[in-house]
Amino acid sequence: MTDRRPVDTRSRPVPTRSRRAAQDRTGTVAGLTNVRTRLVGDRDDVAADAVVGVVRLWRSAGRLVRRGRDEVASVVTGLGWTVLATTLVAFVTGYRFGLREVVVVGWAGAVLVVIAAVALFGRSRLVIRMSAPQHRVVVGDDAGVTVTAANPTRLPSVPTTVELPVGSGLVDVPIPAVAPHGSHEQLVPVPTARRGVLDVGPVTGVRADPVGLVRREVVWTAREQVVVHPRTIAIPSTSTGLVRDLEGQATTDLSPADIAFHAIREYAPGDDPRTIHWKSTAKTGAFMVRQFEDTRRSHLVVGLGVSRSEYRDDDEFELGVSVAASLGARAVRDGRQVIVVVSERTPEFAKRPVRAVHALPTVTPTRLLDAFARVDLADACLPVAEVAGLVGRDVAGVSVAFLVVGSTVGIAALRLAASRFPVGVEVVAVVCEPEAVPRSVRVSGLTLMTIGYLEDLRHALYRSVDA
């Protein structure tokens, strides 16, 4: 009979050491997707190692070639590539067709290439530094940076030129020969004729050949920023004489409970019994209560129009920025509650206009002036009436609103803007018209001030206080 008992797997022969190693190696590379697996699989003989070594060497050579290519591309200018290509074409064409004149052109190009290559050798002995500029200045103030070149070596340096970007311009700073262990300082002025933010630096050392085929740049310093603030003037401390606050006089509105005592009147149903004046009650025989003048802390709004259609030219806009900055900075210094707004811009390819305003930071006067340095005109933004409507709707407790615009905004538009604020808000429209005769008129709920110079703002507000 045939024995049909199940076969015991434990009785199988144990595989040899070589077969076991092969199985272990196969299990090690199973599922891997590295380069060696794709090249030689699980082989580990001499041929496989040779293939892997050749691939590694090829990759290293490729990295070196790419690095050299990048280095050459970073120093060779467009003119350099043109001369190099012309030289090669001239050699091939001249020797191929026997044209001596073309061969001469090729050798001339080769000489230029050799001179350019020699010009790149060597290092500068100088150490260039730039003093930190005054980061915040006012329009028209003197500002500048000092470029210092030090020679720490024992040999004198050769004259050179470094480049210093200032705003959108580029200043060439000549550095003469510096003695061993000596230094040279060069003052570079920073233009502050216009408000804005200027990037100064970095100082870049340039090493180039006389023709301009190659150019190597060495960055010596970091980039600094100079913020040019708009010009501001000192104005009355209350910012306006139109609304009184706790530090000034009381308003003409009467209140049953406040600080400034006004008069005594007869008791009316609904009055607070705590306001009863008992001495007057005893004299008259009827209940008499105290009456107060309402005092409130002014909440100022300064709205600056930034639409290009609201100004005749850039000078009008700069005057408007100075007026708005003077009003806002004075209110911040006095501890007033103030909000300074400009219209948001609508992107060029937006499907619909952006109906929003942007509030400038009023934490400190410096932060506010920093923000004013970045304000600019825009073609697609809300007019002053729309800005007034958004502020009047979203900002509660406004007592005074200054609207700063240019001379192209008519009285009708300003009256419409004033009507967008709640009842009781004093609206002052400051029309900026350079060299105009200053005047101030009252037009049905709107005070219209026209100023031709920034100093006219101070006089106009003083006249309002006196009135």
Side-chain angles (χ1 to χ4, degrees):
M1 296 179 61
T2 305
D3 189 3
R4 297 181 179 274
R5 291 179 299 177
V7 178
D8 188 1
T9 56
R10 292 174 296 180
S11 60
R12 291 181 178 179
V14 179
T16 62
R17 182 176 300 177
S18 60
R19 293 179 58 186
R20 185 180 300 171
Q23 290 178 358
D24 293 341
R25 186 170 61 251
T26 304
T28 301
V29 299
L32 295 180
T33 57
N34 60 355
V35 178
R36 182 183 180 90
T37 305
R38 290 194 297 268
L39 290 175
V40 298
D42 58 351
R43 296 172 54 190
D44 60 354
D45 52 4
V46 177
D49 293 338
V51 171
V52 173
V54 170
V55 172
R56 286 181 175 177
L57 182 60
W58 179 262
R59 288 198 171 188
S60 299
R63 284 194 294 268
L64 291 176
V65 171
R66 286 193 297 269
R67 185 180 303 174
R69 180 196 61 190
D70 295 339
E71 289 289 340
V72 173
S74 63
V75 299
V76 179
T77 63
L79 178 61
W81 290 115
T82 303
V83 171
L84 181 60
T86 303
T87 301
L88 295 177
V89 172
F91 275 132
V92 173
T93 305
Y95 283 112
R96 176 66 178 82
F97 298 100
L99 303 175
R100 295 182 179 180
E101 295 82 0
V102 179
V103 173
V104 171
V105 172
W107 279 107
V111 171
L112 292 178
V113 171
V114 172
I115 294 175
V118 172
L120 291 179
F121 289 112
R123 296 177 56 187
S124 175
R125 297 187 179 94
L126 298 177
V127 177
I128 310 296
R129 295 290 182 266
M130 181 184 70
S131 64
Q134 187 176 354
H135 293 287
R136 291 180 176 88
V137 297
V138 181
V139 170
D141 287 354
D142 295 333
V145 296
T146 301
V147 178
T148 303
N151 183 10
T153 64
R154 298 179 180 179
L155 298 176
S157 66
V158 297
T160 185
T161 300
V162 296
E163 295 180 350
L164 177 63
V166 179
S168 58
L170 187 65
V171 179
D172 291 333
V173 183
I175 304 295
V178 181
H181 303 288
S183 63
H184 173 77
E185 292 185 353
Q186 183 76 25
L187 179 62
V188 180
V190 175
T192 60
R194 302 290 293 181
R195 171 188 54 87
V197 180
L198 299 177
D199 291 328
V200 180
V203 178
T204 305
V206 179
R207 193 180 185 89
D209 66 296
V211 181
L213 304 184
V214 293
R215 176 187 175 92
R216 174 179 291 172
E217 296 182 353
V218 179
V219 178
W220 290 102
T221 64
R223 179 177 298 172
E224 302 283 350
Q225 272 194 345
V226 177
V227 182
V228 183
H229 288 171
R231 192 169 71 91
T232 58
I233 60 171
I235 58 177
S237 60
T238 57
S239 298
T240 177
L242 304 174
V243 170
R244 310 297 181 179
D245 55 24
L246 294 177
E247 287 77 15
Q249 301 177 7
T251 66
T252 57
D253 301 330
L254 299 181
S255 172
D258 215 300
I259 297 176
F261 177 77
H262 174 64
I264 294 177
R265 62 172 175 83
E266 190 174 351
Y267 178 84
D271 289 339
D272 190 352
R274 292 175 296 180
T275 62
I276 296 177
H277 193 261
W278 293 105
K279 290 184 179 181
S280 300
T281 300
K283 291 180 180 180
T284 60
F287 287 108
M288 305 295 291
V289 296
R290 299 182 183 90
Q291 195 172 23
F292 300 87
E293 289 181 337
D294 190 17
T295 58
R296 63 179 181 269
R297 191 170 182 83
S298 57
H299 184 179
L300 273 66
V301 169
V302 179
L304 173 64
V306 294
S307 176
R308 195 177 299 275
S309 60
E310 295 177 344
Y311 297 89
R312 183 177 303 170
D313 50 28
D314 291 340
D315 292 337
E316 275 194 4
F317 180 68
E318 293 301 323
L319 179 58
V321 172
S322 296
V323 169
S326 300
L327 293 170
R330 184 65 203 194
V332 174
R333 292 190 185 99
D334 291 342
R336 300 292 189 268
Q337 188 177 2
V338 59
I339 178 173
V340 183
V341 296
V342 295
S343 172
E344 288 281 7
R345 300 182 181 183
T346 300
E348 295 181 357
F349 302 101
K351 295 182 179 179
R352 56 185 62 89
V354 176
R355 297 180 54 83
V357 294
H358 172 64
L360 304 184
T362 56
V363 181
T364 61
T366 302
R367 290 282 302 277
L368 179 60
L369 295 177
D370 287 348
F372 269 117
R374 293 173 170 84
V375 173
D376 202 356
L377 287 173
D379 294 322
C381 60
L382 299 178
V384 63
E386 298 294 334
V387 173
L390 294 175
V391 174
R393 183 193 64 188
D394 299 335
V395 181
V398 178
S399 55
V400 178
F402 286 95
L403 302 178
V404 183
V405 294
S407 60
T408 60
V409 181
I411 297 180
L414 294 176
R415 292 181 61 184
L416 176 62
S419 65
R420 301 290 178 86
F421 288 97
V423 178
V425 177
E426 186 67 34
V427 181
V428 181
V430 183
V431 179
C432 301
E433 187 177 356
E435 300 182 0
V437 178
R439 56 187 179 274
S440 179
V441 296
R442 181 75 180 177
V443 183
S444 62
L446 171 67
T447 301
L448 183 62
M449 295 182 181
T450 302
I451 63 173
Y453 298 92
L454 184 57
E455 289 73 12
D456 296 338
L457 176 65
R458 180 193 299 118
H459 303 322
L461 293 178
Y462 272 127
R463 286 194 296 268
S464 300
V465 174
D466 295 338

